[in-house]
Amino acid sequence: MAFLFSPRVIPRYIERYGYAFSWKRLWNAGKVLASMGISWTTGRPVVWGRPFMMMVEPTNFCNLKCPLCPSGNGEMTRERGNMGLDDFKRLIDDAGDYLVLLMLWNQGEPFINKDLLEMIRYARSKRIPTMTSTNGHYVRTKEQARDVVRSGLSEMIVSLDGVDQKTYETYRVGGKLERVVEGTRLVAEAKRELNSRTPLINMQFIVFRHNESDIAEAERLAADLEADQFLIKTAQVYSDDDAATFLPDDDLFRRYEDGESGQRQVKGQPAKGCKVLWYSSMVNWSGDVAPCCFDKNVDFGMGDAFNGHDKSASTFGEIWKGRAYMDFRKKILNSRSSVDMCRNCSEGYRGMFSMVKELRG
């Protein structure tokens, strides 16, 4: 979600979420950015401050069977579960004073966790802007939509990915487009009834070979549903078969290019370094800390923030500057290509990872 914090959108962020401002958060962000610059200059990891963005996984269960998602296609190797509310609160008590954005999703459908809205309310009580990303199947009544609005959720990404059922279910296997449309409409209506600007509704369209001709129609549908933004996202693939099946023909909507050896590579990916390792982190439902959301099975575990499985584990703050994290940062500073998942990562991608169009002022 780096595009949300590019320089051109910082004024919009401040306007919408000025309530998150504090001198402590500002000072922390300055320290993080300064230490990042020193690390890039020296080639050695220097970490000051705490992450000012965080992804937290409410659950890794999902109701759909999307073929490129480890949660949906059965390739996830880690245990399934839901984050407990008490664990979430302890994490926010530890990390929340530094956060300017909390992203509540990862490898699952967040609304499957029945405590999701209470998590959002707790974060909002700490003046932390919150986002979630949903497949749109769990807002089915007017009262559920009102509960979402009342929770204080700042933004929600709703996956569209098709303008008719046949196209939609090609990727969103097991899903119903009509539920996505109706749920989005209910949230928009609830916002009007409750006179609330939030949550901002961001309709996301992942461009595949089978739906690339529907982009204009998808944007019209998003506008009809009173979405605030229309997001165009490129697809991540893992194999040549995936690429042949799903990647669109239009190069504008492909995040990959052929490298010197003829192998598929992310366009313009830097050879060294990763800013995410300084300003953000990923805490999964079990408390397992991963460097980012691309570590889908926590192959590079940094520690257990909840002390649930490993009695030697520490608080998140200690994990953030612990040996495992620092060693991983050093490795990536020297060479991103040394880690498989980093070669297929969009951080630093030159081009349009997500194209954002404002639909409402």
Side-chain angles (χ1 to χ4, degrees):
M1 301 304 294
F3 68 88
L4 291 169
F5 277 83
S6 62
R8 69 180 182 276
V9 298
I10 289 176
R12 176 172 63 85
Y13 176 87
I14 294 173
E15 176 188 359
R16 290 174 175 171
Y17 306 122
Y19 62 80
F21 174 83
S22 73
W23 289 110
K24 184 174 185 178
R25 286 173 177 158
L26 183 62
W27 175 242
N28 176 71
K31 290 195 296 183
V32 169
L33 296 175
S35 66
M36 187 190 305
I38 292 172
S39 298
W40 257 249
T41 300
T42 64
R44 300 177 60 186
V46 175
V47 176
W48 297 333
R50 299 277 289 274
F52 54 77
M53 292 172 61
M54 181 177 284
M55 290 193 76
V56 173
E57 179 184 72
T59 183
N60 60 351
F61 285 113
C62 193
N63 55 311
L64 303 186
K65 304 293 182 183
C66 304
L68 297 180
C69 173
S71 183
N73 65 18
E75 294 180 359
M76 180 169 289
T77 59
R78 58 188 170 97
E79 186 180 354
R80 305 271 183 161
N82 295 301
M83 182 176 288
L85 181 59
D86 289 341
D87 285 333
F88 174 82
K89 288 182 175 180
R90 284 193 288 113
L91 176 64
I92 295 304
D93 289 344
D94 182 20
D97 285 350
Y98 306 94
L99 297 179
V100 299
L101 182 65
L102 176 65
M103 296 167 284
L104 289 169
W105 76 89
N106 185 24
Q107 296 301 304
E109 167 51 49
F111 280 90
I112 287 177
N113 188 320
K114 297 186 184 301
D115 289 323
L116 176 67
L117 296 186
E118 188 57 39
M119 292 175 175
I120 294 167
R121 282 189 282 269
Y122 191 74
R124 183 64 178 82
S125 73
K126 304 289 186 178
R127 297 188 297 114
I128 305 170
T130 56
M131 294 181 66
T132 196
S133 182
T134 176
N135 60 45
H137 283 67
Y138 286 87
V139 179
R140 301 174 181 174
T141 68
K142 290 184 177 181
E143 191 53 39
Q144 287 173 335
R146 294 188 189 104
D147 287 343
V148 170
V149 175
R150 293 188 186 111
S151 71
L153 180 65
S154 305
E155 303 195 34
M156 61 188 300
I157 298 170
V158 182
S159 298
L160 187 57
D161 306 337
V163 295
D164 57 68
Q165 179 59 27
K166 182 178 179 180
T167 305
Y168 174 78
E169 66 183 359
T170 300
Y171 184 71
R172 298 291 171 181
V173 179
K176 300 293 183 183
L177 180 60
E178 62 182 351
R179 282 192 177 177
V180 180
V181 170
E182 181 59 18
T184 305
R185 196 182 306 279
L186 286 170
V187 173
E189 290 176 355
K191 287 171 61 178
R192 286 201 309 274
E193 292 171 3
L194 297 173
N195 194 29
S196 176
R197 292 184 62 194
T198 58
L200 299 180
I201 300 172
N202 304 318
M203 300 300 290
Q204 177 178 275
F205 193 85
I206 303 178
V207 184
F208 299 109
R209 186 182 299 270
H210 61 267
N211 69 5
E212 64 181 312
S213 63
D214 295 332
I215 295 174
E217 180 61 29
E219 183 180 328
R220 285 192 290 270
L221 177 57
D224 289 345
L225 293 173
E226 300 179 69
D228 296 276
Q229 291 182 327
F230 180 64
L231 314 180
I232 298 177
K233 184 178 179 181
T234 58
Q236 181 185 32
V237 296
Y238 301 90
S239 69
D240 290 340
D241 287 343
D242 288 341
T245 301
F246 291 103
L247 290 185
D249 291 324
D250 191 335
D251 185 65
L252 177 63
F253 304 118
R254 298 168 68 107
R255 72 173 68 173
Y256 301 98
E257 63 186 359
D258 292 332
E260 293 181 1
S261 62
Q263 293 183 320
R264 185 178 59 254
Q265 66 181 32
V266 177
K267 296 175 181 176
Q269 189 184 69
K272 299 179 181 180
C274 175
K275 297 186 292 295
V276 171
L277 296 176
W278 272 257
Y279 72 71
S280 184
S281 189
M282 174 77 243
V283 182
N284 290 287
W285 73 267
S286 60
D288 290 332
V289 179
C292 67
C293 63
F294 284 89
D295 188 6
K296 302 178 191 302
N297 280 310
V298 196
D299 295 318
F300 301 93
M302 301 298 161
D304 175 7
F306 299 159
N307 296 317
H309 306 301
D310 179 359
K311 297 304 181 183
S312 66
S314 306
T315 65
F316 175 82
E318 293 168 323
I319 292 170
W320 177 245
K321 296 184 180 180
R323 174 61 61 86
Y325 236 133
M326 296 302 285
D327 286 348
F328 190 79
R329 291 185 181 104
K330 183 177 181 180
K331 188 173 187 177
I332 301 303
L333 275 173
N334 291 327
S335 173
R336 283 176 63 143
S337 64
S338 63
V339 178
D340 284 346
M341 74 170 185
C342 298
R343 290 197 295 271
N344 196 21
C345 167
S346 61
E347 195 279 326
Y349 166 36
R350 183 185 67 241
M352 302 301 285
F353 167 57
S354 288
M355 286 172 279
V356 182
K357 183 167 184 179
E358 298 281 347
L359 300 179
R360 297 164 64 84

